[in-house]
């Protein structure tokens, strides 16, 4: 018996099952440690993401709210349309300088009518209103000349500092040191708020307005950038999807396996890893300098992003085609289907979810790409909306969402930090929608075999 | 080997459906099939037996030129169906495969409905004039494959939802629907349980009425049960070919005897 017990521990699994032996304990501890490392890594990753989202949301959410002033403005005929014919082309001779006093007088009169007294000069009072509001008033009058001679209510944008005051960016203390705003002006704004003449509302202009100059952060919007990005995505989708899918099908299903196809394969993989700014230089050299396409145009941006997206789409499509079991191809060929029939009737439908996912991921990448667009001039300050694509809008100057963010982060006014963060939120929302679409399409088209 | 073929020729009285002369197949540098001569008669079931890697599936895939899809495969020699060289330059393998149907080792229905699976071949070959025509072809094919009773109420359900044995019979129905003259079967029962196997074997025997059936099998019992002729392959050679009964009871070649009695393989 002593022999048996002595021999027991020497062989694996010879001891009692109820007592864990050293080796097993060691292995279990190693596994426990490994799980912990993994968990820590995941937690760090999630923590970073949460930090990022918190910082963006805390900085950017306020850009979806905008402070406005409700002002009664008189529009005297003798100042705005001396001829009295209400012809917008004649009326447009009156510049914003002609409208600024009207808005100022309107605000002063509104203060008086509501019994708000102030020691500030009329000029200081007028500083509560954004310069952009004057332009907006002029546009409104030119669009509808019938309002001349009447008194209208205007929802004027508050100036950037006043807007910042209600978003906790500007305080009484900071206003002391600020040449653009004084504590007295802030107090006046508070009294206007009490009287219900000043308030915040949802900032639709942020999505529709074009960019604004450095001194008017309150008026800066994403309209041109969203339109530009949309045009570029359309171009990328229309060009990259068919070219990429056709190239992948040819390479995967039809091309002979030889040195040339190997070379092409390696190069496509390498292209996917080329820094995006290189594509920008290529676009500048070929599309603008050689082909003579206009700068800052979505067509050039779209072409450059197409080049950048193609490898992604080709690689994803080839992986999707490879994942279709060969038995399906054999089955089709065995029935006397031609190669093309077997690909288009059986292989392609099965690969569709993968292709769509790859395409949308490629598009999402292109949507967030900044560097190549800087080189082809999309970083320009563009205030004119591009025309509709049917009227050659692809050739009009435009900017893009990520470039707009880049642009705003470079400006000095802290109000642009809010704008940039808001634009990041918009960009992330677009990406989220695209990824959800990818998941939805994958689920919808997914078939089991 | 020449002798076996001599005796074989004596057995076959009809003109053969498939004639192979001096067939060589290379996969890259590997010589997979070495100088195979065989004649396969119409309306018989011919079984190819032999150990794994002996080349029986490779030779089967020569008959409908499925080896063309493998880039490194090279076929030499002469294979004729009804006297026509199928490796002639003028022969389109797509047309050939409509004439020579194939059933694979693993059931591989398309991820479509049962109906669409069977109707696919007739559709691409334009075998039906209208919907009613096609319905009839599908029904006949499913009846031939002994699947009609089980499938008639679920024709629009996916073929991949069937059991393994049903899937294989669906694949047979799909092959039969294009009205081929020859049916090649590459270990059709290896993924099936004994009951499904029995059903498919019964089916193969019935199919003999209309087609030349060539079946590759690992199971000698199966070869003995379903075939009239048996060919024994070993290391790329066709060792012996003849009446199934004769191969299993009094093989001429010692290698055949060793394999049948279980000493090699």
């Amino acid at each position: 018996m002593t022999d048996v017990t002595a021999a027991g521990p020497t062989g694996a699994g010879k001891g009692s099952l109820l007592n864990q032996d050293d080796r097993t304990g060691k292995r279990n501890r190693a596994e426990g440690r490994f799980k912990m490392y993994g968990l820590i890594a995941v937690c760090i990753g999630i923590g970073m993401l949460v930090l990022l989202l918190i910082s963006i949301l805390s900085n950017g959410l306020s850009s979806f709210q905008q402070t406005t002033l409700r002002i009664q403005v008189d529009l005297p005929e003798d100042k705005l349309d001396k001829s009295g014919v209400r012809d917008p082309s004649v009326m447009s001779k009156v510049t914003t300088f002609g409208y600024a006093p009207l808005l100022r007088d309107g605000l002063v009169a509104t203060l008086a009518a509501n019994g708000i007294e102030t020691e500030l000069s009329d000029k200081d009072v007028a500083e509560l209103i954004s310069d952009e509001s004057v332009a907006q008033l002029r546009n409104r009058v030119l669009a509808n000349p019938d309002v001349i001679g009447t008194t209208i209510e205007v929802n004027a944008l508050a100036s950037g500092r006043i807007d910042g005051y209600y978003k906790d960016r500007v305080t009484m203390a900071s206003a002391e040191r600020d040449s653009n705003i004084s504590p007295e002006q802030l107090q006046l704004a508070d009294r206007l708020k009490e009287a219900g003449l000043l308030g915040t509302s949802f900032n639709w202009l942020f999505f529709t307005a074009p960019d604004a100059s450095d001194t008017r952060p309150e008026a800066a919007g994403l309209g041109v950038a969203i339109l530009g990005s949309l045009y570029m995505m359309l171009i990328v989708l229309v060009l990259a999807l068919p070219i990429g899918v056709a190239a992948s099908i040819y390479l995967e299903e039809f091309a002979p396996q030889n040195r040339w196809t190997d070379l092409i394969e390696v190069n496509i993989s390498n292209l996917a890893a080329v820094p995006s700014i290189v594509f920008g230089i290529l676009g500048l050299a070929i599309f603008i300098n050689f082909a003579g396409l206009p700068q800052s145009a979505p067509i050039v941006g779209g072409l450059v992003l197409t080049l950048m997206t193609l490898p992604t789409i080709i690689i994803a499509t080839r992986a999707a085609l490879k994942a279709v079991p060969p038995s399906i191809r054999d089955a089709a060929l065995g029935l006397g289907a031609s190669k093309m029939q077997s690909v288009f009737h059986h292989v392609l439908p099965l690969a569709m979810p993968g292709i769509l996912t790859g395409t949308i991921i490629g598009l999402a990448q292109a949507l967030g790409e900044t560097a190549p667009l800087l080189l082809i001039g999309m970083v320009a300050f563009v205030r004119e909306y591009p025309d509709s694509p049917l009227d050659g809008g692809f050739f009009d100057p435009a900017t893009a969402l990520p470039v707009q963010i880049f642009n705003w982060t470079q400006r000095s006014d802290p109000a642009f930090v809010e704008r940039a963060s808001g634009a990041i939120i918009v960009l992330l929302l677009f990406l989220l929608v695209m990824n959800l679409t990818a998941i939805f399409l994958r689920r919808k088209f997914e078939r089991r075999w | 080997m020449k002798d076996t073929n001599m005796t074989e020729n004596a057995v076959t009285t009809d003109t053969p459906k498939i004639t192979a002369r001096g067939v060589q197949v290379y996969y890259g540098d590997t010589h997979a099939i070495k100088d195979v001569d065989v004649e396969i008669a119409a309306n018989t079931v011919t079984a190819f037996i032999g150990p794994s890697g002996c080349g029986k599936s490779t030779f089967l895939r020569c008959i409908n030129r499925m080896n063309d899809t493998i880039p490194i495969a090279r076929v030499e020699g002469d294979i004729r169906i009804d006297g026509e060289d199928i490796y002639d330059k003028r022969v389109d393998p797509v047309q050939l495969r409509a004439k020579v149907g194939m059933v694979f080792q693993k059931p591989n229905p398309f991820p479509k409905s049962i109906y669409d699976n069977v109707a696919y071949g007739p559709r691409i070959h334009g075998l039906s004039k209208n919907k009613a025509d096609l319905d009839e072809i599908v029904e006949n094919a499913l009846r031939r494959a002994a699947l009609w009773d089980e499938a008639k109420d679920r024709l629009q359900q996916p073929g991949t939802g069937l059991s393994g044995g049903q899937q294989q019979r669906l694949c047979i129905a799909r092959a039969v629907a294009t009205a081929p003259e020859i049916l090649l079967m590459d270990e059709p029962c290896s993924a099936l349980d004994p009951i499904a196997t029995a059903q498919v074997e019964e089916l193969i025997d019935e199919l003999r009425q209309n087609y030349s059936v060539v079946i590759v099998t690992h199971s000698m019992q199966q070869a003995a049960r379903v075939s009239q002729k048996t060919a024994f392959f070993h290391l790329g050679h066709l060792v012996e070919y003849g009446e199934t009964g004769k191969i299993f009871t009094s093989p001429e070649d010692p290698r055949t005897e060793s394999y049948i009695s279980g000493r090699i393989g």
Side-chain angles (χ1 to χ4, degrees):
Chain A
M1 277 306 278
T2 46
D3 278 332
V4 175
T5 45
T10 54
K14 287 275 174 63
S16 163
L17 279 176
L18 297 176
N19 300 326
Q20 201 178 58
D21 63 27
D22 289 350
R23 261 192 98 74
T24 312
K26 215 168 154 185
R27 284 189 296 189
N28 288 350
R29 280 194 298 281
E31 191 172 316
R33 276 198 304 279
F34 183 75
K35 278 190 204 163
M36 202 178 62
Y37 298 148
L39 204 61
I40 290 172
V42 170
C43 287
I44 291 175
I46 291 179
M48 293 293 176
L49 184 66
V50 168
L51 264 179
L52 178 84
L53 285 179
I54 287 177
S55 84
I56 290 172
L57 291 178
S58 65
N59 275 320
L61 273 182
S62 56
S63 61
F64 299 113
Q65 297 285 323
Q66 190 66 43
T67 313
T68 52
L69 293 152
R70 202 148 45 80
I71 308 169
Q72 306 292 328
V73 180
D74 287 326
L75 300 170
E77 187 176 14
D78 58 331
K79 291 249 177 69
L80 301 180
D81 189 17
K82 281 179 188 143
S83 63
V85 293
R86 301 286 187 271
D87 182 357
S89 60
V90 179
M91 285 158 59
S92 63
K93 281 178 187 152
V94 182
T95 61
T96 49
F97 288 110
Y99 284 86
L102 301 181
L103 211 55
R104 183 192 65 209
D105 296 346
L107 179 55
V108 172
T110 308
L111 288 177
N114 285 273
I116 301 170
E117 290 180 13
T118 174
E119 290 161 7
L120 292 167
S121 69
D122 287 359
K123 182 173 166 290
D124 287 345
V125 169
E127 277 179 7
L128 263 59
I129 309 170
S130 163
D131 293 342
E132 188 72 15
S133 298
V134 181
Q136 283 172 359
L137 177 64
R138 179 168 178 266
N139 289 342
R140 184 170 160 185
V141 171
L142 288 180
N144 184 14
D146 292 340
V147 295
I148 290 181
T150 64
T151 303
I152 59 168
E153 188 176 280
V154 173
N155 259 324
L157 284 171
S159 73
R161 291 298 195 281
I162 299 294
D163 188 43
Y165 178 54
Y166 291 105
K167 292 169 179 173
D168 298 328
R169 196 169 55 235
V170 175
T171 60
M172 288 294 176
S174 74
E176 290 277 1
R177 288 175 269 114
D178 195 332
S179 61
N180 289 319
I181 198 95
S182 66
E184 290 74 27
Q185 284 171 316
L186 294 181
Q187 280 158 6
L188 178 62
D190 274 340
R191 272 185 285 159
L192 276 165
K193 194 173 187 188
E194 278 164 32
L197 295 172
L198 182 148
T200 55
S201 55
F202 189 75
N203 188 5
W204 286 110
L205 277 180
F206 187 56
F207 300 97
T208 56
D211 193 9
S213 72
D214 285 10
T215 54
R216 300 176 186 175
E218 66 278 0
L222 289 170
V224 175
I226 290 177
L227 220 52
S229 279
L230 189 75
Y231 283 8
M232 288 195 294
M233 288 307 104
L234 271 177
I235 294 166
V236 173
L237 187 68
V238 166
L239 292 179
L241 183 63
I243 295 176
V245 171
S248 323
I249 292 178
Y250 177 74
L251 285 175
E252 197 58 45
E253 303 284 342
F254 294 96
Q257 294 285 315
N258 59 30
R259 220 172 275 174
W260 287 110
T261 45
D262 284 350
L263 192 73
I264 291 172
E265 214 164 295
V266 170
N267 277 306
I268 288 173
S269 307
N270 284 340
L271 272 184
V274 167
S276 55
I277 197 145
V278 176
F279 284 102
I281 295 174
L282 183 95
L284 179 65
I286 293 181
F287 298 129
I288 295 180
N289 289 346
F290 178 71
L293 290 169
Q295 287 178 26
S296 312
I299 183 79
V300 180
L303 287 172
V304 168
L305 294 179
T306 299
L307 291 180
M308 232 192 69
T309 314
L310 263 178
T312 314
I313 293 184
I314 292 179
I315 290 170
T317 304
R318 292 190 67 178
L321 291 173
K322 265 201 188 91
V324 176
S327 65
I328 294 291
R329 294 181 180 85
D330 281 353
L333 293 178
L335 281 176
S338 67
K339 185 83 195 163
M340 196 169 134
Q341 283 173 327
S342 90
V343 170
F344 281 88
H345 294 167
H346 302 290
V347 180
L348 204 54
L350 288 173
M352 220 43 180
I355 294 175
L356 289 175
T357 311
T359 306
I360 291 176
I361 287 173
L363 277 184
Q365 235 176 37
L367 181 65
E369 199 53 68
T370 325
L373 302 183
L374 300 182
L375 285 177
I376 57 161
M378 295 202 84
V379 74
F381 178 75
V382 183
R383 266 187 69 81
E384 291 286 313
Y385 295 98
D387 287 340
S388 91
L390 298 175
D391 299 330
F394 289 149
F395 295 88
D396 290 344
T399 177
L401 272 174
V403 177
Q404 191 67 72
I405 294 167
F406 170 77
N407 232 335
W408 283 345
T409 51
Q410 293 195 313
R411 299 198 184 166
S412 53
D413 193 321
F416 278 110
V417 175
E418 175 205 64
R419 296 279 145 171
S421 301
I424 291 173
I425 295 172
V426 173
L427 183 60
L428 286 180
L429 280 178
F430 274 115
L431 294 177
L432 191 71
V433 168
M434 289 173 89
N435 281 318
L436 286 178
T437 314
I439 292 170
F440 170 77
L441 288 174
R442 196 163 53 212
R443 288 274 160 79
K444 186 160 182 271
F445 287 107
E446 205 156 54
R447 280 193 258 186
R448 275 162 300 203
W449 56 76
Chain B
M1 239 201 311
K2 281 276 172 255
D3 292 10
T4 29
N5 280 318
M6 294 291 280
T7 51
E8 168 51 30
N9 285 340
V11 172
T12 316
T13 47
D14 308 333
T15 48
K17 186 77 185 166
I18 308 168
T19 329
R21 288 276 173 266
V23 175
Q24 321 273 351
V25 180
Y26 303 87
Y27 287 124
D29 296 333
T30 320
H31 197 172
I33 294 280
K34 295 159 191 163
D35 203 24
V36 167
D37 293 350
V38 73
E39 281 176 352
I40 292 165
N43 298 359
T44 50
V45 177
T46 307
F48 289 174
I49 60 169
S52 294
C54 66
K56 52 196 190 306
S57 288
T58 301
F59 183 68
L60 191 75
R61 290 168 68 94
C62 289
I63 301 175
N64 67 347
R65 290 185 60 174
M66 278 299 273
N67 282 333
D68 290 14
T69 61
I70 303 164
I72 57 164
R74 202 170 84 244
V75 181
E76 287 172 7
D78 186 53
I79 302 177
R80 289 174 184 276
I81 292 176
D82 292 333
E84 291 176 334
D85 181 4
I86 62 168
Y87 281 90
D88 191 285
K89 277 204 169 58
R90 284 167 296 178
V91 172
D92 189 333
V94 168
Q95 226 172 321
L96 169 73
R97 288 180 202 136
K99 203 170 175 176
V100 186
M102 186 158 193
V103 176
F104 296 85
Q105 186 170 357
K106 227 181 101 207
N108 55 355
F110 301 127
K112 296 174 188 270
S113 71
I114 294 174
Y115 183 93
D116 286 338
N117 259 286
V118 182
Y120 183 69
R123 273 189 187 134
I124 58 171
H125 295 299
L127 299 182
S128 63
K129 285 183 201 70
N130 51 42
K131 178 86 173 77
D133 232 15
L134 191 61
D135 286 349
E136 202 185 314
I137 292 175
V138 170
E139 183 180 336
N140 281 338
L142 285 170
R143 277 189 197 284
R144 278 259 170 75
L147 194 61
W148 176 250
D149 291 334
E150 291 152 84
K152 65 180 174 200
D153 297 326
R154 45 195 289 202
L155 287 176
Q156 294 311 322
Q157 284 173 30
T160 41
L162 297 169
S163 74
Q166 288 172 325
Q167 284 189 16
Q168 194 61 302
R169 277 181 284 151
L170 176 61
C171 292
I172 295 173
R174 187 175 65 184
V176 166
T178 51
E181 294 170 18
I182 298 162
L183 201 54
L184 308 176
M185 299 177 137
D186 190 357
E187 297 180 43
C189 300
S190 65
L192 304 185
D193 68 35
I195 294 170
T197 303
Q199 285 169 325
V200 172
E201 282 178 7
E202 204 175 314
L203 180 61
I204 292 169
D205 199 51
E206 282 167 27
L207 291 174
R208 182 160 69 94
Q209 314 298 325
N210 305 77
Y211 311 101
S212 305
V213 181
V214 184
I215 175 171
V216 163
T217 176
H218 262 122
S219 154
M220 284 174 283
Q221 289 84 352
Q222 184 172 60
R225 281 195 300 266
V226 299
S227 70
Q228 287 78 51
K229 295 278 190 66
T230 297
F232 170 62
F233 284 78
H234 186 56
L235 300 175
H237 293 285
L238 176 63
V239 174
E240 192 164 350
Y241 177 48
E243 296 283 345
T244 300
K246 186 169 169 295
I247 295 269
F248 280 95
T249 50
S250 52
E252 292 181 356
D253 195 287
R255 287 172 291 179
T256 317
E257 203 208 334
S258 303
Y259 181 71
I260 286 164
S261 55
R263 280 200 292 275
I264 57 167

